[in-house]
């Protein structure tokens, strides 16, 4: 959505998801972003109230929207319209479904360099990498992502790469073939 661009976090609002770092990084990056850029946080969890309090204390408070828990078509609409999704996790997630869902929608991802996230988020190809829990690193990734978003050709390439990655690596057929090959290798010794 070029008229109403936004970054999107969607997931459970718990400490390990690093949303506090994301809020601070967005605040740090905001002066270098287009004036209409927003951050939309979709989800709920035990840290929701604390995160809303943190957001209201930041200079960027008017640019942050907490949309609550969303599912189905409503969630899909947020993902599809987002300029970039952000996976701010500070713990080792194997293969976050939120990232796969964003990539499938053609939405590039800013992701932390931990667990399986860097296998999905390829710097400059399917998104941008930052260090977990590191506000300056995440703010820099937000700026790099915004720069790519503003360059239509670069952004279109990112979108194509995202969809291609999912088609080539995340299909049921690929999973089954890889699993069968693993079993064959194990049996053949």
């Amino acid at each position: 959505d070029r008229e109403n661009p936004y970054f999107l976090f969607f997931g459970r609002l718990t400490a390990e998801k690093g949303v506090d770092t994301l809020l601070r990084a967005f605040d740090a990056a905001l002066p270098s972003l287009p004036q209409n850029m927003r951050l939309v946080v979709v989800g709920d969890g035990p840290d929701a109230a604390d995160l809303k309090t943190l957001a209201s204390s930041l200079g960027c408070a008017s640019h942050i929207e907490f949309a609550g828990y969303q599912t189905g078509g409503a969630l899909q609409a947020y993902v599809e319209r987002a300029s970039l999704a952000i996976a701010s996790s500070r713990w080792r997630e194997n293969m976050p479904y939120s990232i796969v869902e964003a990539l499938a929608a053609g939405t590039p991802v800013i992701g932390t360099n931990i667990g399986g996230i860097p296998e999905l988020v390829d710097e400059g190809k399917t998104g941008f990498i930052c260090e977990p829990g590191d506000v300056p690193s995440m703010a820099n990734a937000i700026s790099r992502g915004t720069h790519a978003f503003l360059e239509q050709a670069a952004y279109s390439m990112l979108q194509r790469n995202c969809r291609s990655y999912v088609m080539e690596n995340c299909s049921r057929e690929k999973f089954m073939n890889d699993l069968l090959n693993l079993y064959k290798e194990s049996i053949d010794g």
Side-chain angles (χ1 to χ4, degrees):
D1 187 345
R2 295 218 163 255
E3 291 183 25
N4 299 297
Y6 61 91
F7 297 102
L8 174 68
F9 170 88
F10 61 111
R12 189 148 164 77
L13 302 183
T14 57
E16 63 271 7
K17 294 295 188 175
V19 181
D20 58 328
T21 302
L22 169 57
L23 295 173
R24 289 181 177 100
F26 181 70
D27 186 57
L30 191 61
S32 68
L33 305 179
Q35 287 186 337
N36 61 341
M37 187 63 82
R38 299 175 298 129
L39 170 62
V40 176
V41 178
V42 172
D44 200 3
D47 291 353
D50 290 341
L51 291 169
K52 289 176 184 176
T53 299
L54 172 61
S56 69
S57 74
L58 299 171
C60 64
S62 65
H63 292 266
I64 299 174
E65 173 190 342
F66 284 86
Y69 180 75
Q70 303 287 325
T71 62
L75 176 59
Q76 189 62 32
Y78 275 108
V79 175
E80 290 174 355
R81 289 192 327 255
S83 307
L84 290 107
I86 301 180
S88 52
S89 188
R90 60 171 52 105
W91 73 319
R92 296 185 183 281
E93 296 188 57
N94 183 30
M95 186 175 183
Y97 187 73
S98 62
I99 294 177
V100 175
E101 193 171 348
L103 296 177
T107 302
V109 176
I110 295 170
T112 51
N113 188 22
I114 192 167
I117 295 173
E119 294 176 35
L120 299 168
V121 181
D122 190 358
E123 178 70 32
K125 294 183 180 173
T126 59
F128 304 90
I129 291 289
C130 59
E131 293 305 314
D134 186 327
V135 171
S137 177
M138 192 174 292
N140 183 274
I142 288 171
S143 294
R144 293 192 319 272
T146 302
H147 181 74
F149 171 73
L150 294 173
E151 293 186 19
Q152 185 63 46
Y155 188 71
S156 293
M157 179 63 75
L158 280 167
Q159 290 181 302
R160 283 192 299 276
N161 292 342
C162 291
R163 290 185 186 106
S164 293
Y165 179 87
V166 171
M167 295 298 292
E168 293 168 12
N169 297 289
C170 300
S171 70
R172 181 178 307 152
E173 293 78 20
K174 172 143 178 48
F175 175 78
M176 292 305 294
N177 286 335
D178 288 351
L179 183 61
L180 287 173
N181 287 334
L182 183 62
Y183 283 145
K184 286 177 186 176
E185 289 173 13
S186 295
I187 291 169
D188 293 342

